[in-house]
Amino acid sequence: MNVSLYQAASALNANARWQEVISGNMASASVPGFKKQELSFQAVQAGMLRPNSSGGLAQPISMSSPQVHINFSPGEIKRTDVNTDFAIEGSGFFEVQLPTGATAYTRDGEFKLNAQGQLVTKQGYLVMGEGGAVQLDQNNSTIINVAPDGTISQGAERRGKIQLTEFSDPNLLKDIGCGFYLAKDPNLQPTTDVKSTIRQGFIEGANTTAVMEMANLINVMRSYEANQRVIQMQDDRMGRAITELGSPT
């Protein structure tokens, strides 16, 4: 068994997966609150080498296995001076209601008001407050103000409170794209007793940049090319062995 050939092929597969992750990060580098995906590699035992003719113990064969996880480190907070833009300081998430009725979580606070005076995401998903959707008074022309704890007011009138949620282990959240996450893992413990605060007139940028991902892409291509050369070397070696062993003396 040519172990090096299989290991190089395994590495090529892992590098291809890494390239997919980088491409997704690059495409979303301008999305507010986006959290980049990262790839880690671990060795997985794929079999055992037989002992050679001189004896000895069987040796394990390891292959690389890629594992994708989300990096929830904060992005840069940028000032926009837009009253419906909000950034979270801390590890909390905004709650939004998907068209299916499911609750999703996001760090993207680039909101707007719909025709009914409700606070919604760019996609039109309702932003949730303590008692449901955040509803504002369309007949009140007063500029809305949001306190650090999420309390919304129009002039002297309190209009609700934006709901923030924190999790015991955000890495258990399921990424569904566009900066939204679902909390489906039974081991994930949400809490509304949060320490995070809201900054009105700001948004959080993605925690990656196109330049950073381009640098990662170059590293991936170099690694891919190196493993391609290993496969080519092993193929040439096997070709010479077959030719020499198959030639009559």
Side-chain angles (χ1 to χ4, degrees), residues 116-175:
Q116 291 74 42
Q118 297 168 315
L119 197 63
V120 296
T121 67
K122 296 188 292 289
Q123 297 82 2
Y125 305 155
L126 292 173
V127 178
M128 304 307 292
E130 287 184 329
V134 176
Q135 179 69 58
L136 300 175
D137 185 359
Q138 292 179 288
N139 297 320
N140 189 339
S141 60
T142 307
I143 296 176
I144 66 170
N145 289 297
V146 177
D149 67 351
T151 300
I152 304 175
S153 59
Q154 286 181 288
E157 185 180 5
R158 187 181 187 275
R159 299 302 304 174
K161 185 177 181 181
I162 296 176
Q163 181 69 64
L164 293 182
T165 302
E166 292 181 358
F167 295 95
S168 55
D169 186 2
N171 292 307
L172 297 178
L173 290 169
K174 180 183 179 182
D175 185 3

Side-chain angles (χ1 to χ4, degrees), residues 80-87 109-111 199-203:
T80 65
D81 290 325
V82 178
N83 283 333
T84 54
D85 282 351
F86 306 102
E110 192 175 16
F111 301 145
R199 294 183 67 181
Q200 185 180 17
F202 294 81
I203 57 172

Side-chain angles (χ1 to χ4, degrees), residues 1 5 29 31 36-37 53 60 85 88-89 103 105 111 133 142 154 158 215-216 220 226 233:
M1 177 180 180
L5 190 63
V31 176
K36 65 180 178 179
Q37 291 188 332
S53 57
D85 282 351
I88 299 176
E89 289 187 325
T103 299
Y105 303 89
F111 301 145
T142 307
Q154 286 181 288
R158 187 181 187 275
N216 290 335
V220 173
M233 289 169 56

Side-chain angles (χ1 to χ4, degrees), residues 178-237:
C178 298
F180 294 101
Y181 307 92
L182 295 178
K184 288 189 171 183
D185 195 301
N187 296 318
L188 196 58
Q189 299 299 321
T191 175
T192 54
D193 182 20
V194 300
K195 298 179 180 178
S196 301
T197 57
I198 293 177
R199 294 183 67 181
Q200 185 180 17
F202 294 81
I203 57 172
E204 178 188 1
N207 64 351
T208 189
T209 63
V211 174
M212 183 185 301
E213 298 303 330
M214 281 296 295
N216 290 335
L217 191 59
I218 292 172
N219 290 333
V220 173
M221 294 306 297
R222 287 175 177 171
S223 177
Y224 198 94
E225 291 170 356
N227 284 288
Q228 279 184 317
R229 287 195 293 271
V230 170
I231 290 178
Q232 184 63 53
M233 289 169 56
Q234 294 299 324
D235 184 65
D236 292 343
R237 184 176 63 84

Side-chain angles (χ1 to χ4, degrees), residues 49-65:
L49 279 176
R50 295 179 181 177
N52 54 36
S53 57
S54 60
L57 299 175
Q59 298 296 318
I61 302 171
S62 296
M63 302 292 176
S64 59
S65 174

